[in-house]
Amino acid sequence: SADLEAYCLMLGDDALVLSHRLQEWSTNAPELEDEVAIANIALDLLGQARLLLTRAGARSEDEYAFFRAEHEFRNVRLTELPRGDFAELTARLFVFTTWRLAILRRLTGSRDPVLAAIAEKGVKEVTYHRDYAARWVVRLGDGTAYSRDRMLEGFAVVWPYVGELFVPSDVEERLVSAGVGVDPASTEEEFRQVVAEVCAEARIPVPDAAAIPGVAGRAGRHGVHTEAMGYLLAELQSVARTHPEASW
Amino acid sequence: SADLEAYCLMLGDDALVLSHRLQEWSTNAPELEDEVAIANIALDLLGQARLLLTRAGARSEDEYAFFRAEHEFRNVRLTELPRGDFAELTARLFVFTTWRLAILRRLTGSRDPVLAAIAEKGVKEVTYHRDYAARWVVRLGDGTAYSRDRMLEGFAVVWPYVGELFVPSDVEERLVSAGVGVDPASTEEEFRQVVAEVCAEARIPVPDAAAIPGVAGRAGRHGVHTEAMGYLLAELQSVARTHPEASW
Amino acid sequence: MTATVSDPDLEGQFESTIARDQRIEPRDWVPADYRKTMIRMIAQHAHSEIIGMQPEGNWITRAPSLRRKAILLAKVQDEAGHGLYLYSAAETLGADRTELTENLIEGKQKYSSIFNYPTLTFADVGVIGWLVDGAAICNQVPLCRSSYGPYARAMIRICKEESFHQRQGYELLLTMMKGTPAQRKMVQEATDRWWWPSLMMFGPPDADSSHTAQSMAWKIKRHTNDELRQRFVDMSVPQAEALGVTLPDPELKWNAERGHHDFGEIDWSEFKAVVSGNGPCNAQRTAHRKKAHEQGAWVREAAAAYAAKRAGGDDDAR
Amino acid sequence: MTATVSDPDLEGQFESTIARDQRIEPRDWVPADYRKTMIRMIAQHAHSEIIGMQPEGNWITRAPSLRRKAILLAKVQDEAGHGLYLYSAAETLGADRTELTENLIEGKQKYSSIFNYPTLTFADVGVIGWLVDGAAICNQVPLCRSSYGPYARAMIRICKEESFHQRQGYELLLTMMKGTPAQRKMVQEATDRWWWPSLMMFGPPDADSSHTAQSMAWKIKRHTNDELRQRFVDMSVPQAEALGVTLPDPELKWNAERGHHDFGEIDWSEFKAVVSGNGPCNAQRTAHRKKAHEQGAWVREAAAAYAAKRAGGDDDAR
């Protein structure tokens, strides 16, 4: 159905677009161990994206990834923000994985067996991702005075985009009723609790900032993105669009 | 002829690609006066590119700009290097305009009346551009100790790509014989003299560094570029390639 | 500019200049509040030009034809130029450009809220020309008769250039509307996003506008926010029709009795959020300007050091 | 690892381990020169893996299918992993990873020159898999029998993964050769650029190779540069035919008498320039690695400070 397609694109685009930002970290990590870990998370998210875009079903995964226009991408804006420094990476990854893990856990109970299976696999992966990010929040937050400042700054950049994560779109509301989708609002309490715990461990205050509004109430889930998204897609789609007839 | 087309693309792509890098400075200049000046130079170079691509003649200016592959671009690699800081901008612009002014002056005597006219117009423009760049070389070189270091660093980044400017391609050699083109090697002495004068005024040593080779002797003029070029074209061509059937 | 304490003679002269619709010039005495209001107004306008370069500048490198690229680059350059005149006009009132820039990047002075919306497709470039420049012109044409001479003269030049930009924007949209279905859709979608924010450009309803009364008395402003907004709506409706786009307001319709178009209620809560700093791009715009300014600090210092050296005859030491 | 002065007994034991084709292990005594040579060799190999991530990593974000993107991302990740094992192997000889990294970014130790060429199209990803990984495997398979145990074991794992990468690269090229004319042209053009540099990967001709004799005596190396190069050429010719590309060497032909392919003269002046730092990308590769390392300094410091705090029982102070 159109709703199922839209929903798969939402969850799939979140993974695809954040994976892209993590791919940009390739050869740029502070240590080889992080190089490996970040690539691994990028790969897992790319894998989730492929499964979800395939489940979306109306087009191939590559048609979805390489031949949609910006307004057809349904990812939350958090995932598309520019790469930023390692603290922004840590903040974004921690926020994103904490939220996504909560979503995927609930999605394992979906009436759609494919979505349930994708979620099952994703839960295992994202549990590891969240753990990686949380450990860095703690190390940076409770490392040096300088790293603490940077960590706070990282959260300051990312946090205004957190509000969007808990606002259900029409599509999600309908699929919640159908027992297929997850209400993102239902994850907020769990999210806030995990954040509070990790921040306590990191000895930093729980981040707080007003949510950045979309345009006339429309944001990532409605295809209304930030100015960073166009550049991301220009790069992501460049080779594919230069050779529209090619197969790879 | 094919040679004339290739030659117009060389001179046109130099202007088009450096204009792109200058466009990236929009909203990023240190002062409003520089904002205006850099945009002005970018505009003049874009204008030169349009005249030259039009003179190339086999396709429209937009087909050349937006639908060629990377290896079909004939610009020297100097023009495509990443944006860099203001010292790199200054170094690159000074080097480029000094060279181009010397080329254009000679080109005013071309047997091709269109090229001669384009060169005539270009000489006036690039004289101003070179003056702008040279004044910044002097101010940064003879400003603070810090700006002097940055200026030297700027030249260090740019200078390895200077050697390429004076190596004539086959096409240029043939067009020199025909009285249509300019031998870039003939501009080297003038170039070195201007650089020496401005560096003396700036109280900095004349830059010196080995020329960065191309791949098996092939560089920008043969369509062999740096890794920065692909990203530049992905951005430059993104909207046009997304809408190949559109007119604007 | 010598008297700091109010002086009945000077004040009378000032009032009479205003009353006779003559212009106040930099050498003239003005009341402290007039000076303050004028500086604030000119500075906000200058800041708007500078911040306004960002949303449009966003598309220069990606403009899909070389002609459109040249037009857009020239337009953004003009905005930098407008910023320059306007900062100069503010300086004639004793303001300092460096300080005004600091006020901008530290959020102490505002700029037009319209620039806190993102530009998401190339059609936005056209729609900004059409609607945003159109609204700006409605606002600014009366300012060409502003009582403060340097500002009025700057506005004459700026309005001329903006009319030119507006025509270029509208012409881009006309071309796109004759293009592919995807292009037409882009134009409609951009219109949908920019229409309401454009209406907000005229500021709060007259009933809530705190500065209007004094500004009108001083002939700094000549029309109320609501008057200008109505003029803009009336002007835009036939333009939208000619273009073939729908303005996203189901209540928009001609009211023969008023001789004007009626239109729907503006979402003033959105307006207030954006004005008070929480629009889609406020943080991004200010951070970008701040970063550019900070990254340019060493360059400005070098220029100052060089100028000081040369002024000091340091040449001899060579 | 206790004796620093040469000891006839230990030296005899070492020589006999080598002679019996047994492996030297970290606890065994080794001559200082063996240690030095081995560290240099392993470090250069590790550096090559790390720098080698750059040319391929350059195409991850632009890979034109999600499947190819996943393959490429995994490959570059594997290279980071290889770097990790190899630095660990060097550490068993007493080297320090931080110091080795410093040596790399300060240009005191080399990495494979092949990575000083740019990747210019997506076909380069395939050609690097086919030719560069192919050449690396020719070089490395004999190293699986290296006399130094930790290195030999690392090489077994690395060679396994590289064979996998090579097949993936070749398979990409096969797919592209079945595609559009533009794709086929890309493959040919990439082959033209990478063929000669791949041949240079085996190092200078045996006559000019300074390290070979001692390395072979110590069974660190098992074949000469020229032997391995010939093997690579013989292997690549039928692969090129199957693919449908032309190797850019007019002198390349089968010599029935030798039972090998003859091939043209390598441009050793290019080789020397690239090895000595002046290839198309030497400066770029080193600068990139240096920048990443420097930008990560505060993160590594934070991790160290945190570890020290927690080790110091600072938890009580909370």
Side-chain angles (χ1 to χ4, degrees):
Chain A
S1 72
D3 274 355
L4 183 64
E5 182 192 9
Y7 189 59
C8 290
L9 293 180
M10 290 175 186
L11 299 184
D13 288 344
D14 285 344
L16 180 67
V17 172
L18 185 57
S19 178
H20 182 97
R21 289 301 185 204
L22 296 176
Q23 290 157 32
E24 293 178 340
W25 273 93
S26 178
T27 75
N28 290 301
E31 276 284 18
L32 281 179
E33 286 81 354
D34 300 296
E35 195 69 64
V36 173
I38 296 166
N40 191 50
I41 298 172
L43 263 173
D44 285 345
L45 291 177
L46 181 56
Q48 292 180 18
R50 295 180 65 190
L51 292 170
L52 287 159
L53 297 190
T54 301
R55 179 61 184 147
R59 304 162 72 179
S60 74
E61 60 176 37
D62 285 342
E63 282 174 279
Y64 281 125
F66 298 105
F67 294 95
R68 268 184 298 162
E70 177 176 326
H71 69 272
E72 298 173 293
F73 279 79
R74 301 301 191 101
N75 54 290
V76 292
R77 291 175 299 169
L78 174 75
T79 59
E80 77 209 24
L81 300 178
R83 196 191 97 183
D85 72 359
F86 192 76
E88 284 171 55
L89 166 72
T90 300
R92 168 153 61 174
L93 200 56
F94 173 58
V95 161
F96 178 80
T97 55
T98 302
W99 171 64
R100 191 169 179 90
L101 183 57
I103 298 274
L104 290 178
R105 276 213 198 104
R106 284 160 181 77
L107 195 64
T108 57
S110 170
R111 283 202 197 147
D112 181 289
V114 180
L115 275 186
I118 294 172
E120 196 82 50
K121 181 167 184 295
V123 163
K124 289 187 199 107
E125 294 168 348
V126 181
T127 300
Y128 160 77
H129 306 166
R130 188 182 74 171
D131 185 53
Y132 173 79
R135 278 186 293 122
W136 270 117
V137 171
V138 172
R139 273 181 285 193
L140 296 182
D142 193 19
T144 62
Y146 181 77
S147 71
R148 182 177 197 273
D149 285 350
R150 300 260 312 236
M151 189 67 244
L152 295 178
E153 189 46 49
F155 273 121
V157 169
V158 158
W159 205 259
Y161 294 93
V162 165
E164 186 181 343
L165 305 182
F166 306 112
V167 182
S169 60
D170 294 359
V171 168
E172 285 164 300
E173 280 173 356
R174 286 193 296 270
L175 288 181
V176 169
S177 313
V180 170
V182 173
D183 180 2
S186 74
T187 66
E188 185 163 0
E189 196 184 325
E190 177 181 332
F191 174 89
R192 301 224 175 252
Q193 198 180 323
V194 173
V195 170
E197 279 168 24
V198 171
C199 287
E201 178 80 9
R203 307 183 190 193
I204 56 174
V206 173
D208 188 22
I212 288 202
V215 179
R218 290 152 49 83
R221 289 291 188 238
H222 310 91
V224 175
H225 295 279
T226 64
E227 289 174 0
M229 185 69 173
Y231 294 93
L232 184 153
L233 291 180
E235 189 172 316
L236 173 74
Q237 300 181 331
S238 57
V239 178
R241 285 200 189 255
T242 301
H243 301 274
E245 307 296 320
S247 52
W248 307 90
Chain B
S1 73
D3 275 354
L4 182 64
E5 182 192 10
Y7 189 58
C8 290
L9 292 180
M10 290 175 187
L11 299 183
D13 288 344
D14 286 344
L16 180 67
V17 171
L18 185 58
S19 178
H20 182 97
R21 289 301 185 204
L22 297 175
Q23 291 158 32
E24 292 178 341
W25 274 93
S26 177
T27 75
N28 290 301
E31 277 282 19
L32 281 178
E33 285 80 354
D34 300 296
E35 195 69 65
V36 173
I38 295 167
N40 190 51
I41 299 171
L43 263 172
D44 284 346
L45 291 177
L46 180 57
Q48 293 180 18
R50 295 180 64 190
L51 293 170
L52 287 159
L53 297 190
T54 300
R55 178 63 185 143
R59 303 161 73 180
S60 74
E61 61 176 36
D62 285 342
E63 283 175 277
Y64 281 125
F66 298 105
F67 293 95
R68 268 184 299 162
E70 177 176 325
H71 69 271
E72 298 173 293
F73 278 79
R74 302 299 192 103
N75 54 288
V76 292
R77 291 175 300 168
L78 174 74
T79 58
E80 78 208 24
L81 300 179
R83 197 192 96 182
D85 72 359
F86 192 75
E88 285 171 54
L89 166 72
T90 300
R92 169 153 61 174
L93 200 55
F94 174 58
V95 161
F96 178 80
T97 54
T98 302
W99 171 65
R100 191 170 179 89
L101 183 56
I103 298 275
L104 291 178
R105 276 214 198 104
R106 285 160 181 77
L107 195 62
T108 57
S110 171
R111 282 199 198 151
D112 181 287
V114 181
L115 275 186
I118 294 172
E120 197 82 50
K121 181 168 185 293
V123 163
K124 288 187 199 107
E125 294 168 347
V126 180
T127 300
Y128 160 77
H129 306 166
R130 189 182 72 170
D131 185 54
Y132 173 79
R135 278 186 294 120
W136 270 117
V137 171
V138 172
R139 274 182 284 193
L140 296 182
D142 193 21
T144 62
Y146 181 76
S147 71
R148 182 177 197 274
D149 286 349
R150 299 264 308 238
M151 189 67 244
L152 295 179
E153 189 47 47
F155 273 121
V157 169
V158 158
W159 206 260
Y161 294 93
V162 165
E164 185 181 343
L165 305 182
F166 306 112
V167 182
S169 62
D170 295 359
V171 167
E172 284 163 303
E173 280 173 356
R174 287 193 296 270
L175 288 181
V176 169
S177 315
V180 170
V182 173
D183 180 1
S186 74
T187 66
E188 184 163 1
E189 197 183 324
E190 177 181 334
F191 174 88
R192 302 223 175 255
Q193 198 179 323
V194 173
V195 169
E197 280 168 24
V198 171
C199 287
E201 177 80 8
R203 307 185 191 191
I204 56 172
V206 172
D208 188 23
I212 288 202
V215 178
R218 290 153 52 82
R221 289 291 187 238
H222 309 92
V224 174
H225 295 280
T226 64
E227 289 174 359
M229 186 69 173
Y231 295 93
L232 184 153
L233 291 180
E235 189 172 317
L236 173 73
Q237 301 181 332
S238 57
V239 178
R241 286 200 189 256
T242 302
H243 302 275
E245 307 296 321
S247 52
W248 308 90
Chain C
M1 305 237 290
T2 45
T4 52
V5 185
S6 177
D7 175 321
D9 277 3
L10 291 169
E11 197 143 358
Q13 216 169 355
F14 170 80
E15 299 288 356
S16 106
T17 307
I18 297 281
R20 282 178 288 121
D21 255 347
Q22 286 185 339
R23 282 181 178 156
I24 304 293
E25 292 300 335
R27 63 184 176 279
D28 297 333
W29 180 92
V30 297
D33 269 4
Y34 178 91
R35 183 183 307 281
K36 205 177 127 193
T37 304
M38 211 60 231
I39 288 179
R40 181 177 54 77
M41 191 168 169
I42 299 176
Q44 285 184 11
H45 190 168
H47 299 334
S48 300
E49 295 283 355
I50 300 309
I51 296 292
M53 296 169 68
Q54 288 182 39
E56 295 180 274
N58 186 37
W59 288 93
I60 294 173
T61 57
R62 294 178 288 172
S65 87
L66 296 184
R67 177 170 162 261
R68 293 292 172 194
K69 187 186 288 277
I71 290 172
L72 182 56
L73 183 50
K75 180 180 179 188
V76 173
Q77 184 192 28
D78 281 348
E79 287 162 2
H82 297 172
L84 270 175
Y85 318 149
L86 289 165
Y87 284 125
S88 300
E91 286 182 326
T92 63
L93 287 157
D96 173 64
R97 182 166 135 196
T98 309
E99 209 172 284
L100 295 179
T101 301
E102 299 285 339
N103 288 343
L104 168 62
I105 64 184
E106 283 161 21
K108 289 184 197 159
Q109 279 178 338
K110 295 198 185 304
Y111 53 88
S112 178
S113 281
I114 193 74
F115 302 122
N116 292 316
Y117 292 86
T119 51
L120 300 180
T121 70
F122 194 71
D124 289 37
V125 168
V127 172
I128 286 179
W130 171 39
L131 295 179
V132 176
D133 290 348
I137 293 165
C138 282
N139 264 331
Q140 290 169 6
V141 163
L143 298 178
C144 297
R145 295 186 293 129
S146 164
S147 61
Y148 189 61
Y151 187 45
R153 285 188 292 275
M155 289 315 304
I156 289 168
R157 179 163 171 188
I158 289 172
C159 280
K160 226 179 260 175
E161 295 185 0
E162 299 223 328
S163 297
F164 185 60
H165 297 159
Q166 201 216 3
R167 282 198 300 277
Q168 289 176 322
Y170 192 73
E171 191 260 323
L172 167 59
L173 298 180
L174 280 172
T175 306
M176 288 183 70
M177 290 302 286
K178 283 183 218 139
T180 65
Q183 285 180 294
R184 283 194 290 279
K185 209 174 146 191
M186 276 166 76
V187 174
Q188 179 63 59
E189 191 270 331
T191 304
D192 291 345
R193 277 185 287 108
W194 289 97
W195 173 250
W196 290 105
S198 299
L199 294 191
M200 296 178 198
M201 284 176 71
F202 298 92
D206 294 348
D208 304 347
S209 180
S210 49
H211 301 301
T212 302
Q214 178 63 80
S215 293
M216 297 211 18
W218 279 336
K219 296 186 182 169
I220 292 174
K221 281 186 78 166
R222 303 249 171 192
H223 304 277
T224 72
N225 296 349
D226 286 335
E227 282 166 21
L228 291 167
R229 186 162 19 237
Q230 183 68 59
R231 184 179 298 182
F232 174 70
V233 170
D234 290 342
M235 195 174 86
S236 300
V237 168
Q239 292 171 343
E241 274 167 23
L243 206 50
V245 298
T246 308
L247 296 173
D249 178 359
E251 295 174 45
L252 186 67
K253 61 165 181 288
W254 178 250
N255 180 329
E257 206 169 309
R258 292 207 301 126
H260 288 295
H261 291 85
D262 292 338
F263 53 97
E265 180 68 20
I266 289 170
D267 179 354
W268 292 113
S269 68
E270 175 179 326
F271 174 77
K272 274 172 206 145
V274 180
V275 167
S276 67
N278 197 32
C281 300
N282 299 55
Q284 178 189 333
R285 300 290 182 235
T286 315
H288 182 94
R289 185 73 193 95
K290 189 172 184 199
K291 191 177 163 201
H293 187 68
E294 287 172 355
Q295 288 186 338
W298 69 274
V299 177
R300 294 188 300 273
E301 281 158 22
Y306 174 80
K309 273 190 210 178
R310 293 294 157 122
D314 181 56
D315 263 10
D316 302 341
R318 213 193 286 193
Chain D
M1 303 237 290
T2 45
T4 52
V5 184
S6 177
D7 175 319
D9 275 4
L10 292 169
E11 198 142 356
Q13 216 170 356
F14 170 79
E15 298 289 357
S16 106
T17 307
I18 299 281
R20 282 178 289 124
D21 256 348
Q22 286 186 337
R23 281 180 179 156
I24 305 293
E25 292 300 333
R27 64 185 174 277
D28 297 334
W29 180 93
V30 297
D33 268 4
Y34 178 92
R35 183 182 306 281
K36 205 176 128 196
T37 304
M38 211 59 232
I39 289 179
R40 181 178 54 77
M41 190 166 171
I42 299 175
Q44 285 185 11
H45 190 167
H47 298 334
S48 300
E49 296 284 354
I50 299 309
I51 297 292
M53 296 168 69
Q54 288 182 40
E56 295 180 273
N58 185 37
W59 288 94
I60 294 173
T61 56
R62 294 177 288 171
S65 88
L66 297 185
R67 177 169 162 260
R68 293 294 172 193
K69 187 186 287 277
I71 290 173
L72 182 56
L73 183 49
K75 180 180 179 187
V76 173
Q77 184 192 29
D78 282 346
E79 288 162 2
H82 297 172
L84 270 175
Y85 317 149
L86 289 165
Y87 284 126
S88 300
E91 286 183 324
T92 64
L93 288 157
D96 174 64
R97 182 166 135 196
T98 310
E99 208 172 285
L100 295 179
T101 301
E102 299 285 342
N103 288 342
L104 169 61
I105 63 184
E106 283 161 21
K108 290 185 197 158
Q109 280 178 336
K110 296 197 185 305
Y111 54 86
S112 177
S113 282
I114 192 75
F115 302 122
N116 292 317
Y117 292 87
T119 50
L120 300 180
T121 71
F122 195 70
D124 289 36
V125 168
V127 172
I128 286 179
W130 170 39
L131 295 180
V132 176
D133 291 348
I137 293 166
C138 282
N139 264 331
Q140 290 169 6
V141 163
L143 298 179
C144 297
R145 294 186 293 129
S146 164
S147 61
Y148 189 61
Y151 187 45
R153 286 188 292 274
M155 290 315 304
I156 290 169
R157 180 163 170 187
I158 290 171
C159 280
K160 226 179 259 178
E161 295 186 2
E162 299 223 326
S163 298
F164 185 61
H165 297 159
Q166 202 217 3
R167 281 198 301 277
Q168 289 176 322
Y170 192 73
E171 191 260 325
L172 167 59
L173 298 179
L174 281 172
T175 306
M176 288 182 70
M177 289 303 286
K178 282 183 219 140
T180 65
Q183 284 180 296
R184 283 194 289 278
K185 209 174 146 191
M186 275 166 78
V187 174
Q188 179 63 57
E189 192 271 330
T191 305
D192 292 344
R193 276 186 287 108
W194 289 97
W195 173 250
W196 290 105
S198 299
L199 294 190
M200 296 178 198
M201 284 177 71
F202 297 92
D206 294 346
D208 302 347
S209 179
S210 49
H211 301 302
T212 302
Q214 179 64 78
S215 292
M216 295 204 30
W218 278 336
K219 297 186 181 168
I220 293 174
K221 281 186 77 167
R222 301 248 171 194
H223 304 278
T224 71
N225 295 350
D226 286 336
E227 282 166 20
L228 292 168
R229 187 163 16 240
Q230 182 68 60
R231 187 180 296 184
F232 174 69
V233 171
D234 291 341
M235 196 174 85
S236 299
V237 168
Q239 292 171 343
E241 275 167 23
L243 206 50
V245 298
T246 308
L247 296 173
D249 178 359
E251 295 175 46
L252 186 67
K253 61 165 181 286
W254 178 250
N255 180 328
E257 207 167 307
R258 291 206 301 126
H260 289 296
H261 291 84
D262 292 336
F263 54 96
E265 180 69 18
I266 289 169
D267 179 354
W268 292 113
S269 68
E270 175 179 326
F271 174 77
K272 273 172 207 144
V274 180
V275 166
S276 68
N278 197 31
C281 300
N282 299 55
Q284 178 189 332
R285 299 291 182 234
T286 314
H288 182 95
R289 184 73 193 96
K290 189 171 183 198
K291 191 177 163 201
H293 187 69
E294 287 171 356
Q295 289 186 336
W298 71 274
V299 178
R300 294 188 299 273
E301 279 158 24
Y306 174 79
K309 272 190 212 179
R310 293 294 157 121
D314 181 57
D315 263 11
D316 303 340
R318 212 191 288 190

